[in-house]
Amino acid sequence: MTSPAGPPPTGSGGDEQKRLRLLAVTACPTGIAHTYMAAEKLAQAAESRGVDMKVETQGSIGAENVLDDNDVNHADGIIIAADKDVDLSRFAGKRVLTVGVAEGIRHPEQLIERVLSAPVHAVGGAPTAPATGGGRERSVGYKALMNGVSYMIPFVVVGGLLIAISLSLGGHTDPSGGLVIPKDSFWMDVNNIGVIGFTLMVPILSGYIAYAIGDRPALVPGMIGGWIANTGELYGSKAGAGFIGAIVTGFLAGYLVRWIKKVKVPKFVQPIMPIIVIPIVATTVLGLFFIYVIGKPISWVFENLTDWLSGMTGTSAILLGAILGLMIAFDMGGPVNKTAFLFGAGLIATGNQTVMGMCAAAIPVMPLGQGLATLIRRRLYTEQERETGLASLFMGCFGISEGAIPFAAARPAQVIPANMLGGAVAGAVAGVASVEDAVPHGGPIVAVLGAVSGVPMFFVAVVIGSVVTAVTTVALVDLVERRRRGEAGAGPVGPEAALVGAGVGATGAGAVVGQGAASAKTTTATAVDSAAAAEAEAEAAVPKQASPAEPDEGGGASGEVLSGHLTERSVKVRLGASDKESAIREMAELLARTGRVADVDELVATALRREEQGTTGLGDEIAIPHAKTDAVSAPVVGFARSAEGVEWDSPDGTKARLVFMIAVPEAAAGDEHLRILALLSRKLMDAGFRERLLDAADASAVIGVLREVG
């Protein structure tokens, strides 16, 4: 919360009274290029105006030049140029101007003028400055959903794997039905710990969706709402609403808290609003609303579904199996899933074990299919998703369908239909083959433990259903991503151009308005043309990809800069590509000359995924595509120059003529490459430095200019 204030305070004592003291914080989502460019621009603008300024940068290597209490006490104003949340509580009582990081690069002089009339940040005001731009923004709902999913994943993995381990090592079939672990055994304790993880999974999803929307006051109502949604006994249902109910309560809690925050209250009540009033009111309203309004229809649906299924027992086994498979796969533990499961389990006692056989074949299809999808098309998934996929495969073997929930929660429109299609196929195949299951459980584990008759066809059903789910998931996700990128109906220039998930990069992305770039164009064209023949000759002499056994470690005749990550071998003075994707592929092939690239296609895919998060075109005719991937064995940097320029969606509209590409392994030790990129980003703000790069006649001359970076 901010409030207007009178004239800005001044410094203390003598001549310093007239000298303005300002602070700034710069930050971008992935933390390097724009963070440091904005810092450099603000510092330059302040120096030119005789203003004292200290800038804190919050980058991927952590906060640097941190503002201390003494800095804040003597400051006349604070500029926040950031595209991610920045803590404002330490600036209470000071004038605070909050803008996007691009503004810090484009208009630093204007920000210095505007901060003098900025509102004062009040005690108890908004704790953080919101993200204000940068790259292609996702909706608030999408980011909230992904926030909940990211916090939920560890609970799914830990809970599911512990349950699976306890069942595999301590469980056995019991004549009375089910897979049983002896109550007083060690493995029952392990199982109970896993159950706790699964129990917390749904409230965590709901709570952190709410937190992303309504901040800390929304966390309690979100978690309690998720617990209520997952506890069917509270509203007369035999099964809770599962993860779908958690998504509903998470959004309801978040937006309810945001609405309550807007209510004007007396000043004496304001301090207790976020810790007492808002959580209590929101939790009570949401809980009662779910129990009395949402819960009743869920219970009604559950009861009527059971009655409907009971009337279908005499119908075709294929149709019944397909319907049960659809229901099992729909919500993975929710009311629809539980209806089908309990229907099949209830018929075991009557001697009809074929219905449970259909359910048992469908139960593992979702986690197995989603896990398989991450293996089939790894480049469509982030590293975290691939790791979750491996855990999902393991859980699927033990009939834990909840292993697929993280995928379904993140992309419900693509994953749930794929799950349902695979589940229906598995159920139908099991039905037509008359597979029987004598225990109320599913997955390959029941066949291994001898509870299934018709084992070969049971595995056929599971395999076919899982493959259908995996292939359908990959196709739908790929299609949606291509459409989102505006490529529907046209194939990508390079393989796997459309990707899912936020790539992990070394630098941020934002906007820069070119300064001095136009003056460099004419002089550069001649230099580039004159160097073309030499470049072509050099390319003919250097293989496209060095042998992995003989990587270029820099040094020697080739020369090296940036701590040896960039050498003459990874410099190209004439980039042939005319569009971004082709340029990224050409740069990846350039890096492959060093022998540090194990998989060019994977490197290209990861770099393109980073572009989806936000363009790496910085303006001033600069682009710095980057990727963090195990497709490279060691950090490597490449540089290329384009005479005509490549359209890179730079905010200032300039085409990229100076292209740097950085690639580092997932497990890269330390942060040296990030520091190098920070230095490079700052140096690129110097128009003279850019002109020298454009004028360099050959790779050796380029290396000579880049030595200035340090």
Side-chain angles (χ1 to χ4, degrees), residues 427-468:
V429 172
V432 75
S434 300
V435 171
E436 295 184 352
D437 180 12
V439 299
H441 199 82
I445 184 65
V446 295
V448 172
L449 293 177
V452 170
S453 63
V455 172
M457 287 307 299
F458 173 79
F459 278 106
V460 168
V462 170
V463 170
I464 293 176
S466 300
V467 170
V468 168

Side-chain angles (χ1 to χ4, degrees), residues 156-409:
V156 176
V157 173
V158 171
L161 293 183
L162 287 178
I163 292 173
I165 291 170
S166 64
L167 283 172
S168 63
L169 299 179
H172 58 83
T173 57
D174 188 89
S176 61
L179 292 173
V180 177
I181 301 173
K183 290 186 178 180
D184 298 326
S185 69
F186 168 79
W187 294 113
M188 177 55 75
D189 294 332
V190 173
N191 183 79
N192 289 338
I193 295 172
V195 169
I196 291 172
F198 258 18
T199 303
L200 291 173
M201 170 184 67
V202 172
I204 289 293
L205 172 63
S206 177
Y208 280 97
I209 289 174
Y211 176 79
I213 298 171
D215 205 39
R216 291 178 185 174
L219 189 59
V220 170
M223 286 193 174
I224 294 178
W227 190 283
I228 292 172
N230 203 39
T231 309
E233 295 88 344
L234 294 174
Y235 43 90
S237 174
K238 293 182 181 180
F243 82 95
I244 294 178
I247 292 174
V248 172
T249 56
F251 280 105
L252 287 177
Y255 284 107
L256 177 60
V257 167
R258 286 182 66 171
W259 178 78
I260 296 175
K261 283 181 176 179
K262 296 178 181 179
V263 177
K264 293 183 178 181
V265 297
K267 280 191 174 182
F268 72 90
V269 180
Q270 290 178 359
I272 64 172
M273 285 291 289
I275 59 174
I276 298 178
V277 177
I278 294 177
I280 290 177
V281 172
T283 300
T284 304
V285 171
L286 176 63
L288 294 176
F289 178 75
F290 200 95
I291 291 172
Y292 289 106
V293 179
I294 299 178
K296 296 299 182 182
I298 292 175
S299 178
W300 179 86
V301 168
F302 178 90
E303 293 171 358
N304 284 271
L305 277 175
T306 303
D307 293 340
W308 177 63
L309 286 174
S310 298
M312 293 189 62
T313 53
T315 61
S316 166
I318 296 179
L319 177 60
L320 181 59
I323 292 174
L324 289 171
L326 287 171
M327 295 174 65
I328 288 289
F330 174 68
D331 53 2
M332 291 157 286
V336 177
N337 171 284
K338 282 295 192 294
T339 297
F341 177 81
L342 294 176
F343 175 69
L347 290 177
I348 293 176
T350 68
N352 183 348
Q353 299 178 357
T354 57
V355 175
M356 192 62 216
M358 303 171 192
C359 296
I363 284 172
V365 162
M366 299 79 74
L368 291 176
Q370 295 305 321
L372 184 60
T374 65
L375 297 179
I376 292 175
R377 297 283 287 278
R378 289 176 58 83
R379 65 194 64 180
L380 283 174
Y381 295 90
T382 64
E383 185 63 25
Q384 183 187 44
E385 288 174 321
R386 292 197 292 266
E387 292 173 357
T388 305
L390 293 177
S392 180
L393 284 170
F394 190 72
M395 283 184 265
C397 292
F398 293 89
I400 302 173
S401 60
E402 287 86 349
I405 286 180
F407 299 97

Side-chain angles (χ1 to χ4, degrees), residues 11-21:
S12 57
D15 295 337
E16 292 189 4
Q17 190 170 8
K18 296 181 180 180
R19 191 171 177 88
L20 196 65
R21 296 180 177 180

Side-chain angles (χ1 to χ4, degrees), residues 632-656:
V632 297
S633 58
V636 59
V637 181
F639 168 75
R641 200 170 58 193
S642 172
E644 296 79 17
V646 177
E647 180 56 56
W648 218 281
D649 302 318
S650 298
D652 65 355
T654 60
K655 293 184 177 181

Side-chain angles (χ1 to χ4, degrees), residues 608-679:
L608 289 173
R609 183 162 61 236
R610 174 60 186 84
E611 294 297 325
E612 280 292 285
Q613 185 179 351
T615 179
T616 55
L618 306 180
D620 280 347
E621 300 184 319
I622 304 164
I624 310 182
H626 45 269
K628 190 172 185 181
T629 170
D630 287 332
V632 297
S633 58
V636 59
V637 181
F639 168 75
R641 200 170 58 193
S642 172
E644 296 79 17
V646 177
E647 180 56 56
W648 218 281
D649 302 318
S650 298
D652 65 355
T654 60
K655 293 184 177 181
R657 300 179 66 198
L658 302 175
V659 182
F660 290 86
M661 186 167 186
I662 297 98
V664 297
E666 286 281 0
D671 52 20
E672 181 186 7
H673 61 286
L674 299 180
R675 294 186 182 279
I676 289 172
L677 186 52
L679 290 172

Side-chain angles (χ1 to χ4, degrees), residues 504-526:
V504 183
T507 69
V512 185
V513 173
Q515 293 183 1
S519 64
K521 291 182 180 179
T522 304
T523 58
T524 303
T526 303

Side-chain angles (χ1 to χ4, degrees), residues 481-518:
E481 289 301 311
R482 288 176 186 273
R483 285 179 176 174
R484 188 165 66 83
R485 298 181 66 225
E487 295 179 357
V493 176
E496 309 306 339
L499 296 160
V500 176
V504 183
T507 69
V512 185
V513 173
Q515 293 183 1

